[in-house]
Amino acid sequence: MATKFVLTLALCRLIVTVGLMSLDPRELIGINDHRFSLDPAQLESASRDFGGQNQAEPLAIFHPTSADDIRGLVQAAYESGHGWAVSARGHGHSINGQAHAKNGVVIEMSGSKQLPRVDESLKYVDVWGGELWIDVLNYTLRYGVAPKSWTDYLYLSVGGTLSNAGISGQAFNHGPQISNVYELDVVTGKGELRTCSEEQDSELFHAVLGGLGQFGIITRARIALESAPQRVRWIRLLYSNFSRFTHDQEYLISLHMLPAAQKFDYVEGFVIVDEGLINNWRSSFFSPSNPVKISSVVGANGGVLYCLEITKNYDQSSAHTIDQEVGELLKELQYIPATEFTTDLPYVNFLNRVHKAEVKLRSKGLWEVPHPWLNLFIPKSRIDEFDKGVFRGILGNKTSGPILIYPMNKNKWDERSSVVTPDEEVFYLVALLRSALDGGEETQTLKYLSDQNRQILRFCDDAGIKIKQYLPHYNTQKQWMDHFGDKWPTIYQRKMEFDPKHILATGQRIFQPNFRTYTGSL
Ligand SMILES: Cc1cc2nc3c(=O)[nH]c(=O)nc-3n(C[C@H](O)[C@H](O)[C@H](O)COP(=O)(O)OP(=O)(O)OC[C@H]3O[C@@H](n4cnc5c(N)ncnc54)[C@H](O)[C@@H]3O)c2cc1C
Ligand SMILES: *[C@@H]1O[C@H](CO)[C@@H](O)[C@H](O)[C@H]1NC(C)=O
Ligand SMILES: *[C@@H]1O[C@H](CO)[C@@H](O)[C@H](O)[C@H]1NC(C)=O
Ligand SMILES: *[C@@H]1O[C@H](CO)[C@@H](O)[C@H](O)[C@H]1NC(C)=O
């Protein structure tokens, strides 16, 4: 098996390196191994991602039919004299080429359809690493159950979000998605297929969670389930006073230890710096029957508004108490009176809400544009300064996309995982989810937005605000060492142990490839 891989790869390389394009590569590959593809359209597609900012074409695409296929591929790369890079690609929704494999092989994870399996006790579901969360949800709902912790958008792969953290408005309560995994099957950079959990092979388990694809490829994840709610009460409240806004958010997440009836199920929020945003992504919420007169509520705050977004789940058995429970909670909050917007919808529609916006943007050709996104974790103690310096400073009055802000409880994050968060009990996510439109106004160009991102990072640096990037992107190992901070020795150790040749996820640019690259002769 391994020899066959080497041969096939060598052929790919020969064709690419020497340029023997007159030989039909598909024919060669077809004869050797139907799981490889050199189809230019597939290569092109794997060379791009949601960020749309850089391209790197792999030598070949690999379509696995099982975890063992992946094991064989990585083992061949590991054992060959001239290694090659291997990157799992979930749904390619990275921003900065994290799933690319320059001079290597991209494994298309999401193509392989392996049915999930819900355990008889309904406590967990086993899913293929390339499964999309939307399909996990669709499947578990047949059993009346669903995962507990989500991302805002569900067309992301399980392996892709677990390699980062996976966060949304449930994280304050259930922790990120990586805190809701019981067991994993992982192919390490040595080509071993291992089952790991907190009890078994725990170092690998913790390494892979939030591990940016550096230590292994997740082929199966066992994900915690809860009974699926039927409906969602979805509420938005406006603030012009930032300290009141954050006070209320922090109050709401402090209720995490209370029984379900006495807390919300989801706490997020976003910043509105221009009226245009109201007509932008995700804002169908403010419907014509529900108009927001921004001018009537804008305070002395440089026109910036903050919107608290909360939900409460319910079903038939709790339908008669939902109004009262929500009422009790809202009484404690200090939003601008009469700026309460409420929607009621099925649970699935709430979870899949961003897809609606996607369909709309796609129809206008505004989905496949560059996305210079920046996601930051900010310690609670410095969030006021960030507001003054960024929301009411650097951003000006055009944002080109939604800006999310919500706090999380660090005690819901497992310190043993590979993800890094600020050194405070409560920290915020600030997500600047902007779309660039070249040819539009200057403030909407990729260059303008990228410069602004750098300016924001520099502002934090100068002010000594110890942020951590979420979905981090750096170009040098020195920067990565700063990012990981105290965790760097652990990360380094884990890399030496689980991927000593630095084969995996080279698109993250954390470790230089540690193998002799192929030079052209068989
Ligand atoms: C519209 C949109 C909304 C988003 N919303 C949220 C959100 O609410 N919360 C949140 O936390 N994130 C969110 N994200 C970010 C998202 O979680 C990450 O970009 C994630 O990496 C995307 O998953 P993917 O399957 O497309 O990963 P890819 O881009 O394919 O891969 C990401 C990284 O993970 C590695 N990888 C992929 N699969 C595996 C695997 N099976 N095993 C090991 N490593 C693997 C890749 O090699 C790469 O390094 C959003 C992204 C987009 C585009
Ligand atoms: C859920 O799965 C069914 C088939 O099992 C399919 O018809 C339906 O379109 C899926 N829904 C979504 C939202 O993907
Ligand atoms: C914002 O709210 C805080 C706390 O209620 C208050 O002390 C402060 O004066 C308010 N700021 C403005 C500008 O109204
Ligand atoms: C915001 O826009 C107005 C014009 O619409 C302009 O006068 C003002 O200077 C802008 N403010 C900032 C901070 O860019």
Side-chain angles (χ1 to χ4, degrees):
M1 167 88 85
T3 332
K4 207 165 134 192
F5 275 119
V6 175
L7 182 65
T8 313
L9 254 294
L11 286 171
C12 298
R13 279 167 186 278
L14 189 69
I15 290 156
V16 173
T17 317
V18 188
L20 294 179
M21 281 310 190
S22 53
L23 284 173
D24 184 343
R26 275 157 305 178
E27 208 172 294
L28 268 174
I29 296 302
I31 290 162
N32 284 282
D33 195 322
H34 65 278
R35 295 166 300 181
F36 283 105
S37 166
L38 292 182
D39 173 23
Q42 287 188 30
L43 292 172
E44 214 275 319
S45 155
S47 75
R48 286 182 287 119
D49 63 20
F50 186 80
Q53 298 170 79
N54 46 48
Q55 298 201 5
E57 204 160 278
L59 293 177
I61 308 292
F62 187 66
H63 297 280
T65 59
S66 66
D68 200 54
D69 279 356
I70 296 176
R71 188 199 54 70
L73 174 72
V74 179
Q75 187 186 29
Y78 178 66
E79 288 177 355
S80 82
H82 336 274
W84 60 83
V86 176
S87 288
R89 184 174 193 269
H91 211 214
H93 277 51
S94 293
I95 297 302
N96 294 289
Q98 285 92 337
H100 289 164
K102 202 168 173 222
N103 294 322
V105 176
V106 164
I107 306 177
E108 282 292 357
M109 295 295 294
S110 67
S112 161
K113 273 291 152 220
Q114 312 220 354
L115 262 196
R117 199 181 62 80
V118 168
D119 168 63
E120 272 173 28
S121 70
L122 304 183
K123 291 271 187 294
Y124 59 80
V125 60
D126 281 306
V127 300
W128 172 247
E131 195 73 70
L132 298 185
W133 284 99
I134 181 69
D135 297 324
V136 176
L137 175 65
N138 196 348
Y139 183 80
T140 58
L141 283 177
R142 297 181 204 168
Y143 298 82
V145 285
K148 301 172 180 180
S149 184
W150 292 99
T151 47
D152 293 348
Y153 175 65
L154 306 184
Y155 292 75
L156 304 169
S157 79
V158 168
T161 73
L162 294 184
S163 295
N164 286 289
I167 51 176
S168 183
Q170 303 86 8
F172 81 93
N173 189 24
H174 292 296
Q177 291 182 320
I178 52 171
S179 297
N180 292 273
V181 177
Y182 294 136
E183 191 177 279
L184 297 171
D185 283 347
V186 172
V187 173
T188 69
K190 294 175 175 168
E192 316 148 307
L193 175 57
R194 285 155 68 166
T195 298
C196 57
S197 66
E198 207 152 297
E199 286 79 39
Q200 178 187 350
D201 215 346
S202 63
E203 184 63 16
L204 179 61
F205 182 69
H206 296 302
V208 166
L209 294 172
L212 305 174
Q214 295 306 299
F215 314 109
I217 295 173
I218 300 168
T219 56
R220 176 184 61 96
R222 176 166 288 181
I223 293 156
L225 298 173
E226 65 180 3
S227 164
Q230 286 163 357
R231 294 194 67 84
V232 172
R233 187 64 57 85
W234 184 10
I235 301 158
R236 288 180 170 182
L237 309 162
L238 293 180
Y239 293 73
S240 57
N241 183 320
F242 187 70
S243 10
R244 287 189 191 157
F245 170 74
T246 52
H247 172 274
D248 283 358
Q249 280 194 324
E250 288 166 23
Y251 164 71
L252 291 173
I253 72 159
S254 77
L255 305 178
H256 66 90
M257 65 300 178
L258 294 184
Q262 295 168 44
K263 63 188 173 197
F264 285 110
D265 292 292
Y266 163 105
V267 177
E268 282 202 11
F270 54 93
V271 180
I272 304 172
V273 310
D274 60 295
E275 203 155 345
L277 188 66
I278 291 291
N279 305 313
N280 204 327
W281 194 13
R282 305 181 186 203
S283 55
S284 52
F285 195 90
F286 299 106
S287 63
S289 61
N290 222 354
V292 195
K293 295 217 172 49
I294 291 292
S295 50
S296 70
V297 289
V298 170
N301 231 355
V304 178
L305 285 178
Y306 310 94
C307 182
L308 175 61
E309 180 175 71
I310 46 197
T311 74
K312 197 144 182 49
N313 302 334
Y314 67 102
D315 48 34
Q316 270 150 16
S317 66
S318 52
H320 63 290
T321 51
I322 177 81
D323 290 337
Q324 195 200 335
E325 285 168 14
V326 167
E328 290 294 320
L329 282 160
L330 293 188
K331 261 198 336 224
E332 303 298 318
L333 308 180
Q334 310 176 61
Y335 54 95
I336 304 171
T339 63
E340 184 188 325
F341 304 90
T342 301
T343 303
D344 197 288
L345 74 177
Y347 187 57
V348 192
N349 296 16
F350 172 72
L351 288 183
N352 203 18
R353 62 201 177 280
V354 175
H355 185 59
K356 242 176 106 176
E358 175 185 354
V359 171
K360 213 158 94 189
L361 289 176
R362 274 189 191 281
S363 73
K364 296 182 189 163
L366 295 176
W367 184 256
E368 288 182 16
V369 297
H371 294 101
W373 286 9
L374 183 65
N375 284 269
L376 305 174
F377 288 139
I378 299 167
K380 166 190 144 170
S381 65
R382 311 299 296 274
I383 197 70
D384 283 341
E385 279 165 85
F386 191 88
D387 170 55
K388 283 196 199 78
V390 178
F391 302 149
R392 290 191 277 136
I394 293 171
L395 283 186
N397 45 21
K398 261 267 174 290
T399 62
S400 301
I403 299 175
L404 310 186
I405 171 171
Y406 56 93
M408 278 166 280
N409 295 306
K410 191 176 172 92
N411 66 6
K412 305 279 181 178
W413 294 63
D414 192 326
E415 275 300 294
R416 295 168 296 179
S417 80
S418 291
V419 71
V420 284
T421 57
D423 215 3
E424 278 186 24
E425 272 316 302
V426 169
F427 58 88
Y428 280 82
L429 170 76
V430 169
L432 300 127
L433 310 179
R434 285 114 56 92
S435 301
L437 291 178
D438 281 323
E441 288 170 47
E442 194 226 335
T443 57
Q444 291 184 305
T445 59
L446 181 59
K447 180 178 182 314
Y448 183 90
L449 294 172
S450 307
D451 285 348
Q452 203 173 56
N453 286 343
R454 277 189 285 275
Q455 208 184 336
I456 292 168
L457 290 171
R458 205 174 324 113
F459 164 79
C460 293
D461 209 29
D462 291 348
I465 302 176
K466 296 211 168 62
I467 57 115
K468 291 293 177 191
Q469 283 191 32
Y470 176 56
L471 313 171
H473 167 59
Y474 294 105
N475 288 310
T476 69
Q477 196 171 68
K478 169 76 181 59
Q479 291 171 320
W480 279 109
M481 289 166 75
D482 287 346
H483 169 77
F484 285 110
D486 292 348
K487 257 191 189 166
W488 174 253
T490 307
I491 297 293
Y492 187 83
Q493 188 65 40
R494 286 173 171 175
K495 190 70 174 177
M496 293 308 112
E497 187 176 346
F498 301 123
D499 180 23
K501 284 199 176 171
H502 305 178
I503 288 168
L504 301 176
T506 50
Q508 298 275 6
R509 305 185 205 186
I510 305 174
F511 295 95
Q512 287 293 320
N514 202 5
F515 46 82
R516 273 188 303 135
T517 35
Y518 186 79
T519 46
S521 66
L522 277 172

